[in-house]
Amino acid sequence: MGWNNFDMTDRADAIGIKTATWSEDARIMGLVGSAHLVSHFFHLILAPLFPWLRAEFGFSYAQLGFLMTVFFVVSGGFQAVSGFIVDRYGAVRTLIAGLLSLSVSAAVLASSDDYSMLLIGAALAGLGNAVFHPVDFWLINHRISVPRLGPAYSAHGLSGSLGWAFAPVFLVGIATPFGWRTAVLAAAALPLIVIALLAFNRTALKLGNGGDPAMSGDSQGKSTFRFLRDPSTWWCFAFFLFISAALGGVQNFAPTIFMNAYGMAVTVAALSITIYMLSSALGMIAGGWLVMRGRSLERNITIALSLSAVGAVLVGLQIFSGVYIFALMVLMGFGSGLSGPSRDMLIRSVTPVGATGRVYGVVYSGLDVGLAVGPFVFGKMLDYGFYVEVFYGIAFCFCFSVATAWRVVLNAR
């Protein structure tokens, strides 16, 4: 079922989506975005505090990095499982459980006195993080009116980027005067605030609603795993694996590369990540407009990620310097963000009715796999002295993501 021949109105009727007012849709977008912001905040619950942890416990960087590996491995593994839970028991209940797990994880991390406690806290955070993408996209696809899906996908992606940007400022800002334990304990309050917002808006979210309205007890057992036999599911998984591997390379190593290959000062090089993420956020906003006007989703993704790949290759060639390097980071980030809404709509277009949570759970687990594997591979390249070559690897990831998007469409047709 290809996008170009896909009637979104018919699909909306099939899965019971209502036509809501703008204010009703905006409320759902705000609630989902708030939860997604907290999810991405907890991606960085420890990384900005590594200097404090290293000073107190004397951990190696490998040990500290393994904490994040545990987070993403647990998150990726349980994300696929949580998709089934969402379809069976409901999105909001699952979301509340995930938020509670994040809050508990922060409390465990703040009280840790050895490495094993930090590992447990990281695992609990990964477990809580696992529910967000299946829940978020279930709510968006079932509670947002079809004409506003593009802006909804943009708002969702934008909220995640804001969570990444907010975490270092929040954590370091509190840890500097009060210590890292106080900073992490303060973060435990954020998921509880979102839970309070969900309770206050329970009518809009229909808290009593069960799973996917198209699911039934008679048909569920027969079709529960059928989507796993669809190649489109695994091409979507591959898309997320490679796009997130590219992101992991930028987030973890761009400053190191610019310091060693371009001779930048550490404070200047660190700006590269901020510039990339802000540009990505702008790209997501533009992508919401593009997805509702450009009906060929695979073409949108190709144009967007080609911009990112060109920017990465030009960084690797070292033919520019100074402010032009940051212009290339803007190009990379904008292209990556621009592809987001089209990517999410593409997945929606090949998702079987009644399998929203499961499909998004499996597909988005590729995001965690990429974030776990990408930094390891690119880190090995740095260990062997291949600095600018990392950006060639990032460009390859962008190009391969384009290829997988076309495979999704061709398979669907």
Side-chain angles (χ1 to χ4, degrees):
M1 175 164 48
W3 166 260
N4 292 327
N5 299 315
F6 192 72
D7 190 331
M8 297 294 291
T9 303
D10 290 346
R11 177 176 174 84
D13 294 338
I15 61 178
I17 301 175
K18 64 184 178 64
T19 302
T21 65
W22 169 252
S23 62
E24 290 173 329
D25 281 346
R27 178 186 291 188
I28 301 298
M29 290 182 202
L31 292 170
V32 172
S34 297
H36 194 223
L37 185 151
V38 170
S39 166
H40 278 237
F41 180 100
F42 271 76
H43 288 185
L44 300 177
I45 189 65
L46 287 177
L49 302 176
F50 280 172
W52 283 268
L53 294 172
R54 186 171 167 82
E56 180 169 337
F57 296 106
F59 296 142
S60 67
Y61 285 114
Q63 287 176 301
L64 294 173
F66 186 69
L67 293 173
M68 303 314 302
T69 299
V70 169
F71 176 99
F72 286 113
V73 168
V74 172
S75 178
F78 281 93
Q79 187 162 189
V81 176
S82 67
F84 289 83
I85 296 173
V86 169
D87 283 337
R88 182 66 182 87
Y89 296 104
V92 179
R93 297 170 186 171
T94 309
L95 177 57
I96 291 173
L99 289 165
L100 287 173
S101 183
L102 290 183
S103 187
V104 171
S105 75
V108 171
L109 290 170
S111 61
S112 298
D113 54 12
D114 57 27
Y115 191 68
S116 61
M117 286 290 287
L118 289 172
L119 285 173
I120 293 172
L124 285 171
L127 183 64
N129 183 71
V131 311
F132 285 89
H133 284 123
V135 165
D136 291 353
F137 285 104
W138 193 98
L139 289 170
I140 290 173
N141 288 330
H142 290 83
R143 293 288 180 267
I144 300 295
S145 302
V146 172
R148 302 187 188 106
L149 281 174
Y153 289 139
S154 291
H156 181 261
L158 179 61
S159 65
S161 296
L162 292 177
W164 277 331
F166 178 51
V169 177
F170 180 95
L171 293 167
V172 173
I174 296 177
T176 300
F178 302 111
W180 72 270
R181 295 181 188 274
T182 302
V184 176
L185 194 59
L190 299 178
L192 300 180
I193 293 172
V194 176
I195 291 175
L197 289 174
L198 294 175
F200 183 77
N201 291 277
R202 59 187 177 276
T203 302
L205 289 169
K206 296 184 179 179
L207 280 175
N209 188 55
D212 195 319
M215 294 285 285
S216 68
D218 295 331
S219 64
Q220 185 181 356
K222 298 178 182 178
S223 61
T224 296
F225 298 99
R226 185 175 299 166
F227 76 99
L228 294 175
R229 297 196 295 270
D230 184 354
S232 294
T233 299
W234 298 108
W235 283 116
C236 290
F237 175 91
F239 179 97
F240 276 98
L241 192 156
F242 280 90
I243 199 71
S244 62
L247 173 63
V250 173
Q251 282 186 325
N252 288 276
F253 302 120
T256 300
I257 294 169
F258 289 141
M259 284 189 293
N260 287 275
Y262 283 88
M264 292 184 182
V266 60
T267 52
V268 177
L271 289 174
S272 60
I273 299 177
T274 301
I275 290 172
Y276 181 93
M277 295 313 303
L278 290 176
S279 301
S280 178
L282 291 175
M284 288 175 189
I285 295 173
W289 174 87
L290 179 64
V291 76
M292 301 311 293
R293 286 158 179 77
R295 302 290 286 183
S296 179
L297 300 177
E298 65 274 23
R299 189 175 301 125
N300 295 349
I301 293 170
T302 300
I303 294 171
L305 293 184
S306 294
L307 295 176
S308 297
V310 168
V313 169
L314 290 176
V315 171
L317 289 174
Q318 291 185 281
I319 57 179
F320 297 100
S321 61
V323 68
Y324 298 106
I325 293 299
F326 291 121
L328 294 176
M329 293 300 289
V330 169
L331 184 65
M332 288 175 59
F334 183 82
S336 179
L338 185 67
S339 71
S342 293
R343 165 204 72 196
D344 294 331
M345 190 72 83
L346 180 64
I347 297 170
R348 183 184 193 275
S349 72
V350 296
T351 298
V353 173
T356 304
R358 284 165 284 158
V359 170
Y360 278 92
V362 169
V363 166
Y364 263 88
S365 65
L367 184 72
D368 295 301
V369 174
L371 287 172
V373 174
F376 175 80
V377 174
F378 293 133
K380 282 293 185 182
M381 292 179 67
L382 291 180
D383 288 338
Y384 286 102
F386 296 111
Y387 288 100
V388 294
E389 288 80 4
V390 166
F391 275 93
Y392 295 145
I394 291 171
F396 169 81
C397 289
F398 286 132
C399 291
F400 194 84
S401 296
V402 170
T404 60
W406 280 91
R407 285 298 308 173
V408 171
V409 173
L410 292 175
N411 181 76
R413 289 173 181 169

